Amino acid sequence: MLGGDGTEDEPLFRPYAVTGGRAEPNYHLAMETLVSSAPIMSDDLSLLTPEQEAIIVLCHSVRSVAEISALLRVPLGVARVLIADMADEGLVRLHLPRLNQGQPDHNLLERVLSGLRRL
């Protein structure tokens, strides 16, 4: 992707370096899963990696895993690994879709559609 000055934009971080080469999280995390930042003490912010801090800032507004991947300009697999690890540490909250008799939640679909339009 080219920046405004004609140079190529670089991602915020080298994707697989921050996941130790892992491309899949320890459990399935759908791309439409919504993510929000968990409350964090200001002292704890200094312990975050730059990648974690970027995700925390992005998720002050609820975002899908796909949105986070796109906004950070990293592969979806990398975003999934980072988000799943952060969820395990209590840094973010996952809002998993609830299925009603095999049908997706219409509210969830509206939020995902709204997020995609913002991209």
Side-chain angles (χ1 to χ4, degrees), residues 4-117:
D5 60 357
T7 61
E8 190 169 322
D9 289 339
E10 291 187 28
L12 292 175
F13 46 88
R14 301 231 180 256
Y16 293 98
V18 297
T19 64
R22 292 182 300 148
E24 291 294 323
N26 295 332
Y27 51 89
H28 178 71
L29 191 58
M31 65 185 215
E32 67 272 10
T33 299
L34 299 177
V35 183
S36 64
S37 300
I40 299 174
M41 302 292 288
S42 60
D43 295 342
D44 294 338
L45 291 175
S46 64
L47 302 175
L48 298 177
T49 66
E51 301 80 30
Q52 290 172 325
E53 189 173 346
I55 291 171
I56 293 287
V57 169
L58 283 175
C59 293
H60 285 303
S61 298
V62 176
R63 301 206 186 255
S64 70
V65 172
E67 273 185 286
I68 295 166
S69 172
L71 292 170
L72 293 180
R73 294 174 289 167
V74 297
L76 186 58
V78 172
R80 284 179 169 148
V81 170
L82 292 171
I83 293 164
D85 290 350
M86 290 177 70
D88 288 343
E89 295 175 33
L91 298 171
V92 296
R93 292 184 179 144
L94 302 178
H95 308 278
L96 302 173
R98 294 183 187 157
L99 298 179
N100 184 11
Q101 298 174 344
Q103 297 296 315
D105 181 346
H106 290 288
N107 188 29
L108 168 70
L109 293 175
E110 289 294 328
R111 291 185 296 193
V112 170
L113 182 59
S114 175
L116 289 172
R117 285 182 178 145

